[in-house]
Amino acid sequence: MNLDDLKREIEYAKWFSLLGSYVAAEGYWALRNLHAWDRTTFASSINEKDAQVASEMDWLPSSRDEEDPVHGRCLTEFLEENGVEFKPVILDIYKQALTSLRCVESMKLRSGSNDFSQAAVGAALYCVRMAVLEVMADKEGFWCALLRLYRRGYWPCGLLPDKTVVVY
């Protein structure tokens, strides 16, 4: 993937349009709904595996100040050490993603009394930013793969302790 490919991923993204329909591949867990997060205690109607996922999952970052759970600071340090001006590129593509995500504003990602809309949009923007860094560092991997899931309409929302990605 190069930066033009990444921009196309964003341009043609079907943000959050297929929630609950993901078919899990190896290394991924598919959520059918977010009901396990409806209450502070699990209802008896919650699938046991979903309750386990909800109790063990770490949400993927949704604000720019959170540390990358995969690379830490390695990507930015690599780019800085090699004199690559990455901040203007991130800003340009981030703005494109913000524009593309405007369609999501009216969509509510709700379960029970919880509204996950801001977290989902924030996580998508975080993913875009990190995918740009992966591409610019020529280390395409985790975030580029997640961006492809976003483009298809899913929400990769968390990580389990064994690094399985949870996708809604």
Side-chain angles (χ1 to χ4, degrees), residues 126-163:
Y126 188 95
C127 178
V128 165
R129 204 171 112 253
M130 298 312 298
V132 170
L133 291 174
E134 283 186 348
V135 168
M136 291 188 76
D138 199 25
K139 297 176 188 257
E140 179 183 336
F142 182 82
W143 295 106
C144 289
L146 293 192
L147 183 58
R148 288 183 187 101
L149 289 172
Y150 278 109
R151 181 189 52 77
R152 290 173 41 209
Y154 305 111
W155 178 21
C157 55
L159 273 179
L160 294 174
D162 67 357
K163 302 301 179 199

Side-chain angles (χ1 to χ4, degrees), residues 70-86:
V70 177
H71 303 292
R73 289 203 25 83
C74 290
L75 294 174
T76 53
E77 288 172 357
F78 174 82
L79 292 169
E80 287 168 351
E81 289 169 6
N82 287 285
V84 177
E85 289 292 324
F86 59 91

Side-chain angles (χ1 to χ4, degrees), residues 15 47-48 59 64 83 86 88 90 105 112-113 122-123 128 141:
W15 305 107
N47 169 310
E48 186 178 323
W59 292 92
R64 72 177 180 91
F86 59 91
I90 288 176
E105 289 179 25
S113 62
V128 165

